[in-house]
């Protein structure tokens, strides 16, 4: 299975968007307040995240649902391609076509990465939880929300379980907490080093070792 990071770096280099180097450093005026330094450095160097007009990053600023969609679009498409997206304003009644984040929200919705509330609204300015952002990242990696139980009651637990297994979440994950900017960078960095998944006959393939040899079996069989 392919690494998401390898695919994204190939896209970035092909589009000549940024040059990512081991010596990349953030240059924000509030660098001293950033705890997840590595994650912020990498995502900043890749052009996925940036700072505010005053030069700060505001690592603890809350991420909204709309901003989360932009984050994912930048992560998957690269900044140039993502900024070229267009919106129709027809998917959600509270996301007009001229809303700044509408193109990213609509693209993520069409890709099955984000959902509305079921009442025709998306809530673009509502806070984004760590569970919701983790769900977006896992979906970007190829996980199917319906098959994996990311909908309905208790969906957060299913997201967290798969997120832990994939390396998106650490043991200190707080899935019900609001996702701030540096935590989003941390989770995204985990996703960049995770394996992308594929489904065959409706089941996700997982790689296991049987008597020191590798075999591909379905998730259902793995549970048994």
């Amino acid at each position: 299975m392919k690494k998401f990071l390898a695919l994204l770096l190939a896209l970035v280099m092909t589009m000549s968007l940024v040059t990512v180097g081991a010596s990349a450093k953030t240059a924000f005026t509030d660098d001293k307040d950033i705890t997840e330094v590595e994650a912020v450095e990498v995502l900043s160097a890749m052009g996925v995240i940036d700072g505010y007009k005053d030069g700060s990053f505001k690592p603890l600023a809350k991420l909204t649902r709309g901003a989360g969609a932009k984050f994912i679009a930048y992560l998957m498409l690269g900044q140039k391609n993502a900024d070229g997206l267009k919106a129709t304003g027809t998917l959600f009644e509270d996301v007009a076509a001229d809303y700044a984040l509408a193109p990213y929200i609509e693209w993520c919705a069409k890709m099955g990465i984000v959902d509305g509330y079921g009442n025709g609204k998306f809530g673009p300015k509502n806070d984004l939880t760590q569970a919701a952002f983790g769900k977006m990242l896992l979906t970007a990696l190829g996980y199917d929300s319906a098959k994996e139980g990311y909908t309905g009651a208790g969906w957060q637990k299913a997201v967290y379980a798969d997120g832990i297994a994939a390396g998106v979440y650490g043991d200190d994950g707080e899935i019900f907490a609001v996702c701030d900017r540096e935590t989003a960078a941390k989770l995204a960095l985990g996703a960049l080093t995770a394996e992308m998944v594929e489904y065959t006959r409706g089941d996700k393939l997982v790689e296991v070792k049987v008597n020191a040899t590798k075999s591909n079996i379905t998730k259902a069989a793995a549970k048994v």
Side-chain angles (χ1 to χ4, degrees):
M1 296 182 186
K2 298 177 180 178
K3 294 280 189 179
F4 193 14
L5 177 60
L7 295 181
L8 185 59
L9 285 178
L11 170 66
V12 169
M13 296 308 177
T14 299
M15 298 301 294
S16 300
L17 297 178
V18 295
T19 300
V20 181
S23 62
K25 298 293 182 182
T26 59
F28 302 113
T29 57
D30 55 352
D31 274 352
K32 59 180 176 50
D33 299 326
I34 300 174
T35 301
E36 303 298 338
V37 177
E38 179 184 15
V40 173
E41 284 183 358
V42 173
L43 273 296
S44 176
M46 296 175 77
V48 176
I49 56 177
D50 54 16
Y52 292 87
K53 291 182 179 179
D54 64 359
S56 65
F57 179 73
K58 295 182 173 57
L60 300 182
K62 296 179 180 179
L63 204 66
T64 64
R65 284 166 55 82
K70 179 180 179 180
F71 193 117
I72 294 295
Y74 271 39
L75 189 66
M76 295 184 69
L77 299 175
Q79 182 179 354
K80 184 177 180 179
N81 284 344
D83 285 343
L85 295 170
K86 304 297 182 183
T88 64
T90 60
L91 294 187
F92 304 105
E93 62 183 62
D94 58 348
V95 182
D98 59 353
Y99 178 55
L101 300 177
Y104 315 113
I105 294 171
E106 285 198 12
W107 182 81
C108 285
K110 290 175 181 177
M111 294 293 291
I113 295 172
V114 299
D115 308 296
Y117 289 120
N119 59 356
K121 297 182 178 180
F122 179 75
K125 297 181 180 179
N126 292 352
D127 291 340
L128 184 70
T129 65
Q130 291 186 29
F133 191 61
K135 175 182 175 180
M136 294 165 71
L137 290 169
L138 289 172
T139 306
L141 286 168
Y143 289 78
D144 186 289
S145 292
K147 291 182 175 68
E148 305 302 336
Y150 299 166
T151 59
W155 64 269
Q156 296 94 338
K157 293 181 180 179
V159 167
Y160 189 61
D162 282 347
I164 284 284
V168 174
Y169 291 112
D171 294 333
D172 58 344
E174 299 180 23
I175 56 174
F176 296 104
V178 176
C179 193
D180 56 49
R181 282 165 56 80
E182 71 171 359
T183 299
K186 176 184 177 181
L187 298 181
L189 183 61
L192 289 175
T193 57
E195 298 281 1
M196 297 187 75
V197 301
E198 298 174 315
Y199 290 81
T200 299
R201 296 182 213 161
D203 289 318
K204 184 172 64 187
L205 288 177
V206 294
E207 189 176 72
V208 296
K209 288 186 177 181
V210 180
N211 296 328
T213 61
K214 294 181 179 179
S215 301
N216 283 328
I217 61 176
T218 66
K219 183 178 181 182
K223 286 184 177 179
V224 175

